Amino acid sequence: MRGPWISAIKRQDQDGKKWIPSKSTRVCSEHFHQGKPAHRLHKANPDWIPTLKMGHDSASVAGSKQRSIERYQRVNERKKRKATNEAASALLDFHRQIVDIHHVPEPATKEEATQTDIAWDTELKLLTKDNQNLRKTLSEKEEVIKCQSFTEESMKDDDDKLCFYTGLPSWLTFMALFNLVSSYLPNTGKCKLSAFEQIMLFLVKIRLNLANKDIGYRFNIHQSTVSKIYNRVLDVMNARLSGFIHWPSRASLRASMPTSFRNFYKKCCLVIDCTEIFIEQPSDLLARAQTWSQYKHHNTIKLLIGITPQGTVSFLSKCWGGRVSDKQITETSGLLNYLEPGDVIIADRGFTIDNYCRLALSEVCIPPFTKGKTQFTRKEVDWSRELSIVRIHVERVIGTVKQKYTILQGTLPLAMVGNIDELGTGEAQIDKLVKVCCALFNLCPPIVPLD
């Protein structure tokens, strides 16, 4: 656009050269028909370049300018007429469409009308049937998805399903656990699962002992995320559920003493036994030797469990390697700190801890030994029978805990055991796991009846 303006002005510098405007050069409005230049895209407009009072107008040039103005006016009028015609045509077409919609042509004959009605009825019946089938299929799919999901809606009305996946007896028990734990679970926003689903994932893991990949498919997350959520919830539950494993007072023990204990062992405060959990074979030779169990012929973790006469877990020792004896675990477990004078502990033959219990002025009852005897006396037989009736409860509790949370039945990977060097001293991962499983067991009804 700069070139045509320079040509229209036809100005020369003092030295006779072609004039070139600078940035500060301006053209007066007197040189335009409408007092200002037209838009640079409207080339047909006579004001596209300055044309008036240029100082070099001739008759031919003036006539040419007049024709340009007339031509520009004719072009604008044609555009206006064209726009008006297109709008009228569009309005007419729209009106015809409305008339066509509301106008239903009558059939030529009655027979044709009947055939048309029959065709429409048949088509309507087919569409209705297809709609019903689709609704039924959709309802079935929704039920399948609901049964396979681990959401709150799929669990709260089905205690059997909840018990199968969590081991807890009812929805009320689960919600009590959820309210106790959920607020302490970090909600970073990076995790796809809600606090409810994170707790469900952890309980499903320890309840069914599924592989991380399997749980990942069930919850639609990666298996590495499963491991992170498991460790996170384990730490929170270990901290929040520790109070569920406590040593009751003597008055509470007397008030809840079952009949089987009240007749012969009314001063009993604890029934103890050791249990072992299989683990993978460590690569370190020292750790392999420390965890080898001569009794199980496998690498194991060993711990002491104590229950009240009613069957709740009230004492847990640290986890040790399977090589440690029952006596050593008991003497290093801190059990002496809980005993009061006159308390009675019931144990198996391997717990020769008489001297240890005498330090707290308490007593340990174990079955008689056959060493140096050909047979038991009648009194020893009766005593052994009476003792076995009450001592069997600790074995039932241990079996129920392992049956309820099957992760303790399988062979644990070393990653879930923790640092073997910390066994018996610090709090390893396996200590947290056992504590949480026993605390969840205590949320269930006791296995020893009062009557």
Side-chain angles (χ1 to χ4, degrees):
M1 188 173 180
R2 183 183 181 89
W5 278 52
I6 295 174
S7 300
I9 293 174
K10 293 184 179 182
R11 181 177 174 180
Q12 292 183 350
D13 291 335
Q14 296 179 357
D15 55 359
K17 293 183 179 179
K18 187 177 181 180
W19 172 73
I20 298 177
S22 63
K23 292 182 178 180
S24 60
T25 302
R26 298 291 185 271
V27 177
C28 180
S29 61
E30 294 291 332
H31 299 289
F32 300 95
H33 295 274
Q34 297 180 355
K36 61 180 181 179
H39 193 273
R40 60 191 182 117
L41 297 179
H42 296 170
K43 293 185 179 182
N45 195 320
D47 283 334
W48 189 64
I49 57 174
T51 56
L52 296 178
K53 301 180 183 180
M54 302 303 295
H56 48 72
D57 291 344
S58 61
S60 61
V61 173
S64 177
K65 293 177 181 179
Q66 184 63 29
R67 288 193 298 272
S68 298
I69 295 172
E70 294 174 355
R71 188 184 308 112
Y72 178 71
Q73 292 175 350
R74 289 195 300 271
V75 170
N76 284 341
E77 290 177 359
R78 283 196 297 270
K79 289 182 178 180
K80 290 180 181 180
R81 286 196 300 270
K82 184 178 180 182
T84 303
N85 294 335
E86 289 178 352
S89 177
L91 183 62
L92 182 60
D93 291 340
F94 180 71
H95 178 71
R96 288 173 179 173
Q97 291 176 2
I98 294 177
V99 173
D100 292 340
I101 290 174
H102 291 281
H103 177 67
V104 179
E106 297 182 358
T109 62
K110 185 175 180 180
E111 182 179 357
E112 291 179 358
T114 304
Q115 293 178 354
T116 303
D117 292 341
I118 294 174
W120 276 108
D121 290 341
T122 304
E123 184 70 18
L124 182 60
K125 289 179 181 179
L126 292 175
L127 291 175
T128 303
K129 186 176 181 180
D130 290 343
N131 188 14
Q132 292 175 351
N133 292 335
L134 290 174
R135 287 179 179 273
K136 183 179 179 180
T137 303
L138 180 61
S139 178
E140 293 175 353
K141 295 295 183 182
E142 289 177 349
E143 287 296 326
V144 171
I145 293 174
K146 183 179 179 181
C147 292
Q148 293 178 350
S149 64
F150 295 92
T151 59
E152 185 175 350
E153 291 75 13
S154 65
M155 292 291 177
K156 64 181 179 181
D157 297 327
D158 194 345
D159 285 347
D160 291 337
K161 180 180 178 181
L162 181 71
C163 183
F164 176 79
Y165 283 111
T166 66
L168 299 177
S170 65
W171 174 252
L172 292 177
T173 305
F174 178 86
M175 287 308 298
L177 172 67
F178 175 79
N179 294 331
L180 186 67
V181 174
S182 60
S183 59
Y184 292 86
L185 288 174
N187 189 9
T188 59
K190 295 182 180 179
C191 182
K192 292 173 57 178
L193 305 184
S194 62
F196 182 91
E197 291 173 321
Q198 292 182 51
I199 295 174
M200 282 298 304
L201 182 148
F202 174 81
L203 294 176
V204 169
K205 174 67 177 177
I206 65 175
R207 168 72 168 157
L208 303 178
N209 194 23
L210 301 176
N212 287 350
K213 198 164 189 177
D214 186 355
I215 296 179
Y217 286 134
R218 292 171 185 259
F219 286 86
N220 195 26
I221 57 176
H222 194 267
Q223 59 180 345
S224 62
T225 307
V226 174
S227 179
K228 293 177 183 177
I229 293 176
Y230 168 83
N231 292 327
R232 180 192 306 161
V233 179
L234 176 63
D235 291 337
V236 174
M237 284 207 175
N238 175 61
R240 297 296 294 163
L241 301 184
S242 296
F244 285 81
I245 301 176
H246 71 285
W247 190 284
S249 64
R250 181 174 289 183
S252 299
L253 289 172
R254 299 293 184 270
S256 60
M257 185 74 67
T259 304
S260 57
F261 284 84
R262 194 179 296 120
N263 294 335
F264 303 103
Y265 301 98
K266 60 182 179 180
K267 292 184 178 181
C268 176
C269 66
L270 198 69
V271 185
I272 61 174
D273 198 4
C274 284
T275 184
E276 298 185 58
I277 303 170
F278 285 10
I279 64 170
E280 292 179 345
Q281 186 182 66
S283 58
D284 182 70
L285 295 179
L286 178 59
R288 191 182 303 177
Q290 290 174 343
T291 57
W292 178 256
S293 172
Q294 193 64 31
Y295 177 66
K296 296 290 186 179
H297 299 286
H298 201 281
N299 294 95
T300 63
I301 293 297
K302 195 173 187 179
L303 70 147
L304 175 70
I305 293 183
I307 67 167
T308 63
Q310 197 175 2
T312 59
V313 179
S314 60
F315 182 81
L316 286 174
S317 71
K318 298 291 183 182
C319 293
W320 291 75
R323 184 179 179 181
V324 180
S325 65
D326 298 346
K327 180 179 179 181
Q328 182 179 352
I329 291 182
T330 306
E331 292 179 348
T332 58
S333 64
L335 178 62
L336 189 66
N337 300 329
Y338 297 93
L339 296 178
E340 298 180 8
D343 285 342
V344 174
I345 298 176
I346 297 177
D348 200 4
R349 288 188 180 90
F351 292 87
T352 54
I353 53 175
D354 295 336
N355 296 333
Y356 176 75
C357 291
R358 290 194 186 102
L359 296 175
L361 301 179
S362 56
E363 179 186 357
V364 59
C365 293
I366 59 176
F369 290 92
T370 58
K371 185 177 181 180
K373 301 178 183 179
T374 56
Q375 64 179 11
F376 289 144
T377 63
R378 183 177 183 82
K379 182 178 180 180
E380 290 175 336
V381 171
D382 293 339
W383 181 25
S384 179
R385 184 183 297 111
E386 294 169 359
L387 195 62
S388 62
I389 292 175
V390 294
R391 191 183 59 81
I392 194 65
H393 294 312
V394 69
E395 297 180 3
R396 290 178 59 201
V397 169
I398 293 173
T400 303
V401 172
K402 289 187 175 181
Q403 184 178 6
K404 186 178 288 289
Y405 299 105
T406 57
I407 193 172
L408 302 178
Q409 289 184 356
T411 302
L412 292 179
L414 296 178
M416 299 182 68
V417 175
N419 190 355
I420 295 180
D421 295 335
E422 296 180 354
L423 295 178
T425 55
E427 189 172 33
Q429 288 289 96
I430 185 63
D431 291 306
K432 299 177 183 178
L433 176 60
V434 173
K435 185 187 295 184
V436 170
C437 291
C438 291
L440 293 173
F441 168 80
N442 285 347
L443 293 176
C444 302
I447 64 172
V448 182
L450 288 175
D451 298 331

